[in-house]
Amino acid sequence: MVAGKRGMLFPFYGLAALALAFSAEAQLPTVQAREQMLVLLERGALYRDRVDWRGLRRDLANTPDPQRQRTLLVNAIQRATAGHGFWLSVEEANNRSERVSATQQGPTSSSASGIASTTVKLDPRLGMIVIGPYRTDRRLSEAQQSAQGRQWALNLQTAIRQQDDGKRCGWMVDLRRNRGGNMWPMLLGVGPLLHGSADESKPVGHFNDGRNAQPWYYRNGAVGAGDQLHYALGTAAYVLKRSGSPVAVLQSGATASSGEAIALSLRGRPNSRSFGFPTAGYSTGNSPVTLVDGSLLVLTGTVMKDRNGMGDGARIVPDTPSRDDADIERAAQQWLLAQPACTGKRETTVAPLPINVSR
């Protein structure tokens, strides 16, 4: 997938720390690519005011040591993106894509894997899907990347459809091991659970660069931001038999980047609640930019917010804090089974749950 237009940023890779390992001999962008990188960061990085760009250029010009130059660049990117953005040489980007291709795993469901829950037996009235990270192999053509992402999303919707036998009164969405990646196949795959009603006209999240808020959406089997379409199934999207079924979101400290985007997309949904631990704190939007020398800059330029405009780019605090995984699953099941959709009782009007957005 190519980078979006300016202002159309999206989470792409996971934690920056996983990508910034130094090689024995420091690899650097060409002088032209380095200046392109610095201009992009100085103009578009979310926390660009934290870096003395003039001083950085002076230090780079006066530093002949490649390892020192790489350190200066890495530190500047870390400060300007709060640790979410990064730069990869052509070799490093190719190596990363090879690892992605070798290890990429599709989404799994409790029924497909034969495991109802990691620690607590899942009540048969509930459905459960596990959304892991999805990372794009950038060596593929744009058409191949799109086809691969659509298939991954379709597999996830199929996992939902296979469980949705008309008897499911609630759903768990497990994001506890989702460290990020490309958010769009994830959003497309979980689409049937996003709205809580048949009305798909409203956005489910926003990117905010400090000046403008750009909504992201799931509609009619397609996902995008603003007027830019990112992925579409190309076939009829699955619709839940009970569109208003409650949803419990399971999250952890490993839920990061695009994993946090999915958590935000479900926050504020009618009949939803989150369980677990505060997320990793990378709820900011990334855009991958290929520089003139073929190297890759992942630029953090926006804060991600939920459908109600709540979000500060930091950790997402769950509605119900937990002690451990068993506690997360037990509390989520108890809440789901107590909802009117599962008890058969008429729903009464109650005050909305408070939304936590601070660290």
Side-chain angles (χ1 to χ4, degrees):
M1 177 180 290
V2 297
K5 298 177 182 177
R6 191 164 185 78
M8 297 182 135
L9 309 181
F10 52 90
F12 192 82
Y13 290 113
L15 301 181
L18 299 179
L20 286 171
F22 283 46
S23 59
E25 182 176 346
Q27 300 183 40
L28 294 170
T30 63
V31 174
Q32 187 179 12
R34 185 181 75 188
E35 183 56 29
Q36 181 188 9
M37 177 200 304
L38 294 178
V39 169
L40 288 168
L41 289 164
E42 187 175 7
R43 294 178 179 177
L46 188 59
Y47 307 107
R48 53 191 175 273
D49 293 341
R50 297 179 181 179
V51 177
D52 176 4
W53 299 104
R54 180 179 296 180
L56 175 61
R57 285 183 172 88
R58 182 186 62 244
D59 291 343
L60 287 168
N62 294 331
T63 303
D65 177 34
Q67 189 72 64
R68 175 59 181 162
Q69 289 184 30
R70 177 80 185 236
T71 299
L72 288 170
L73 289 172
V74 167
N75 289 343
I77 294 170
Q78 292 279 292
R79 291 197 301 274
T81 67
H84 199 186
F86 52 92
W87 174 81
L88 295 175
S89 70
V90 174
E91 180 182 342
E92 290 165 337
N94 287 338
N95 288 341
R96 186 185 183 96
S97 289
E98 289 177 3
R99 292 194 299 271
V100 167
S101 179
T103 62
Q104 183 72 268
Q105 294 181 352
T108 59
S109 71
S110 58
S111 60
S113 68
I115 302 174
S117 164
T118 55
T119 53
V120 177
K121 183 178 179 180
L122 186 67
D123 188 286
R125 291 170 291 174
L126 304 178
M128 182 174 181
I129 58 169
V130 179
I131 306 179
Y134 178 83
R135 295 184 175 90
T136 302
D137 184 347
R138 293 178 61 83
R139 299 171 304 169
L140 301 176
S141 68
E142 186 174 346
Q144 289 173 320
Q145 291 178 29
S146 295
Q148 193 175 72
R150 283 196 303 272
Q151 185 59 54
W152 194 91
L154 182 60
N155 291 345
L156 182 51
Q157 288 210 5
T158 298
I160 295 172
R161 176 178 56 79
Q162 289 174 343
Q163 295 179 74
D164 191 21
D165 56 4
K167 301 177 182 178
R168 310 286 175 173
C169 62
W171 294 82
M172 288 190 197
V173 176
D174 190 347
L175 301 172
R176 286 175 290 180
R177 294 165 183 82
N178 191 322
R179 294 184 176 274
N182 185 340
M183 72 174 277
W184 301 113
M186 301 179 200
L187 192 70
L188 185 58
V190 78
L193 300 176
L194 282 173
H195 285 283
S197 70
D199 180 12
E200 295 185 349
S201 63
K202 297 180 180 180
V204 294
H206 299 83
F207 298 117
N208 191 299
D209 63 3
R211 299 177 298 275
N212 302 298
Q214 183 185 61
W216 75 67
Y217 61 85
Y218 171 86
R219 299 189 197 112
N220 302 318
V223 291
D227 60 359
Q228 185 173 8
L229 173 69
H230 284 291
Y231 279 93
L233 285 177
T235 58
Y238 186 70
V239 178
L240 281 185
K241 290 182 169 61
R242 300 184 183 184
S243 61
S245 300
V247 170
V249 179
L250 314 186
Q251 62 183 57
S252 75
T255 307
S257 189
S258 294
E260 290 170 296
I262 304 305
L264 287 171
S265 297
L266 288 161
R267 191 171 71 177
R269 173 198 183 276
N271 299 317
S272 68
R273 190 172 179 88
S274 57
F275 299 80
F277 301 91
T279 60
Y282 292 89
S283 55
T284 47
N286 278 351
S287 178
V289 182
T290 301
L291 303 179
V292 292
D293 64 353
S295 64
L296 180 69
L297 172 67
V298 176
L299 177 66
T300 306
T302 60
V303 167
M304 298 191 296
K305 298 179 179 288
D306 65 17
R307 65 188 70 196
N308 297 316
M310 302 294 292
D312 60 3
R315 292 174 177 166
I316 302 168
V317 179
D319 298 311
T320 300
S322 305
R323 295 185 299 271
D324 51 37
D325 277 345
D327 188 39
I328 295 174
E329 295 161 9
R330 187 178 299 109
Q333 288 202 60
Q334 290 175 350
W335 178 78
L336 287 168
L337 295 173
Q339 300 313 297
C342 290
T343 63
K345 296 180 181 178
R346 179 178 297 179
E347 187 170 4
T348 58
T349 302
V350 296
L353 292 166
I355 297 176
N356 297 309
V357 296
S358 61
R359 288 188 184 271

